[in-house]
Amino acid sequence: SLAIYPWPTETRETLSLDGIWTFRITDYSFNNELYGFQHHWFNQSLDLIDEHYERMPVPSSFNDITEKRKIRDFVGWSWYDRKFFLPKNYHSNDNDIIIRFGSVNYKAIVWINGNHIINHTGGHLPFQTIIKKDYLHMDNGNENHITVAVNNELSHNTIPQGSYKIKNDTRTKSNRKFIESNFGFDFYNYAGIQRSVLLYFVPKIRITDLTIITDVIDQNNGIIHFNVTTNIQQQQQDKFIVQIDVFDRYGKLVNSSSGKSEGSLIIPNVHLWWPFTMHSEPGYLYRMSISLYHSIEMNKLIDRYYQNIGIRTIHIDKENYQFLVNGQPFYFRGFGKHEEYDIRGRSLDPVMIIKDFNLIKWIGANSFRTSHYPYSEQIMDEADIQGIVVIDECPAVGLSAFNPILLKQHLQTIREMIERDKNRPSVFMWSIANEASSGKIESENYFQNVSELARQLDQSNRPITAADNQYNQDYLPQFLDVIMINRYYGWYSDTGYPQIIKENLINDFIRIWKKYQKPIMISEYGADTISGMHQQPSIIFTEDYQSEIMIESHQAFDQLRSKGFFIGEHIWNFADFMTQQSLTRVGGNKKGIFTRQRQPKTSARLLRCRYWMLANITNHDYHD
Ligand code: E9O
């Protein structure tokens, strides 16, 4: 299961294949996008075909690394390869070798030593497979060769949707061809091997899945329900024993269970997992060790895996339209984000991850939405550890035409996202879509299917939500527990008139609440802002206008909050981010509170005052 991350333990080892790989695109000069397949590129070193190859870091998006427009804008099959040795002691009949890709956007086909091992579709979630030992060279002097073909082409059948036109410039003799992209979303379709590639050496008999659900029994006692899956065959079951130990943050054993793969453990004097600012020790994690022993030789350890656990409850108070964490009302304050940075695109990057978490805490936010696709496991780990709440969004952004193939892919991303993130205390809601054309009647059946699957898969019953921007007919909210609304008064409508924002927001949200009778939050509002640009009275694109939009909106939010159903505010966006080129995007979307380099605009100070005020913490030090 994707819930088991390749952590090394006493019985498991990890070997990273990250580093510099060889990369090449199937250039137009081949005149055939399947050229690489037809010429068996998976059987040869990509840097030996001809001189048209690049050195390419993994993980990274390939787009902004080279100085070539044709690579940045490339659409189609690109190829990666590298070589690696396997340490001799991994050649054992008692283990399996798993290969795991954190994410490859959008489609991936993988070969080891010319042997095809896995295909995957979908750009933002992990995939893994066991590599057959016959495919690997373990003996002296034999290097292994891994090849990955990547396709970043989007269509009406992909999540998210996009389309391409091959344009032929017939005005001139040269008849130049180029590809025009048209995405159904407002961010750059960064592509490549964007997260780590890991080899995972695991015992043949092992723990294969783990589901954790937590609850609170009374003032002092928490409870952990666990369900461990192994790959032990039915008739072998009694030869093995599952031992569970739970330790507190300081390494002290707090409870154990022996012989049960499914059960519950009481946690006395429980220290709950609290969001940042709600407790002096937010993000408190217990550590569970899951061990598999031989039942006859009780001290023979077969496998061990560790899982961080945050004990907390989340509920929706249907009478008062409140979102409760550990029985306390929770008000979401934070951002829609992107997982993207200068040069590296959507690459996994620990430097940027920690920088962003530091900014989130500096500004006093308590949450973010993984707009518009699931973020890396390292980001999610940090959210668990630091007590930052996550609205986990699947990659379904801007869906406009619905069909069965699309639905199938959507269901797959829901399945992979929930499988990967189900045990995370930081995940408070699943967001199943952003700004879908849910005014269309076909969307009703579609979203019924999507929401039902999400409910069925998450045994801990997290609320289901979606970011919605329909006005009148809307088939989506009926399937949601919490409604998220994206609204841009003073920007996309009434451009340049911030004075209309407050009343319109109030009317709008009260109307939506009366209609659907569910908790509501605003998941996007904002204005494109060029850092350093000022004017008074403000005009659009100035820092002053962004600040004014916020001041007007915040007044509306305060009034709505007093009515009870309004459970949060996420500004769009945490930082400026890249988009495809268009006449409304000057080097990307500039709605960030921070620039793309993570420096604050005026709006960041404003938001910082507000978020700390909402946190009810007035004594934090502005000069820290
Ligand atoms: C989705 C997000 O990815 N919501 C968009 C954000 C934006 O800044 C985008 O970056 O554009 C806002 C959608 C607003 C739709 C209003 C359209 C009105 C057209 C006249």
Side-chain angles (χ1 to χ4, degrees), residues 261-305:
S261 58
E262 193 177 352
S264 304
L265 283 169
I266 303 269
I267 307 299
N269 303 316
V270 63
H271 191 137
L272 298 177
W273 190 95
W274 285 100
F276 176 58
T277 72
M278 284 181 90
H279 192 278
S280 60
E281 232 179 316
Y284 190 101
L285 294 176
Y286 288 87
R287 193 171 195 228
M288 176 182 273
S289 103
I290 304 106
S291 312
L292 204 55
Y293 288 102
H294 245 286
S295 49
I296 317 150
E297 313 158 59
M298 191 40 198
N299 47 13
K300 194 171 173 216
L301 179 65
I302 306 294
D303 189 19
R304 180 166 291 161
Y305 187 75

Side-chain angles (χ1 to χ4, degrees), residues 108-119:
I109 305 180
V110 185
W111 296 264
I112 297 255
N113 297 322
N115 302 291
H116 171 250
I117 57 164
I118 190 171
N119 292 355

Side-chain angles (χ1 to χ4, degrees), residues 496-543:
Y497 297 98
Q499 63 268 37
I500 59 88
I501 296 175
K502 182 177 157 189
E503 271 181 277
N504 274 289
L505 275 177
I506 294 172
N507 288 347
D508 206 6
F509 276 78
I510 290 180
R511 174 184 63 82
I512 295 166
W513 172 60
K514 287 202 169 134
K515 190 160 167 190
Y516 300 108
Q517 302 279 313
K518 293 177 180 180
I520 306 175
M521 66 180 277
I522 189 159
S523 39
E524 288 185 21
Y525 69 103
D528 283 83
T529 304
I530 308 297
S531 172
M533 194 172 158
H534 289 276
Q535 180 134 324
Q536 164 61 22
S538 70
I539 58 169
I540 58 170
F541 292 108
T542 61
E543 297 204 25

Side-chain angles (χ1 to χ4, degrees), residues 185-187 338 369 371-372 397 434-435 469 471 486-488 491-493 524 526-528 572-573 577 579 585 589-591:
F185 50 87
D186 182 37
F187 53 86
H338 266 293
R369 171 168 64 118
S371 41
H372 295 304
V397 45
N434 177 83
E435 293 173 3
N469 69 346
Y471 277 82
N486 299 348
R487 279 293 184 271
Y488 285 89
W491 189 258
Y492 285 115
S493 64
E524 288 185 21
D528 283 83
W572 190 255
N573 184 283
F577 58 91
T579 62
R585 294 287 179 260
N589 186 311
K590 302 284 190 203
K591 294 193 184 71

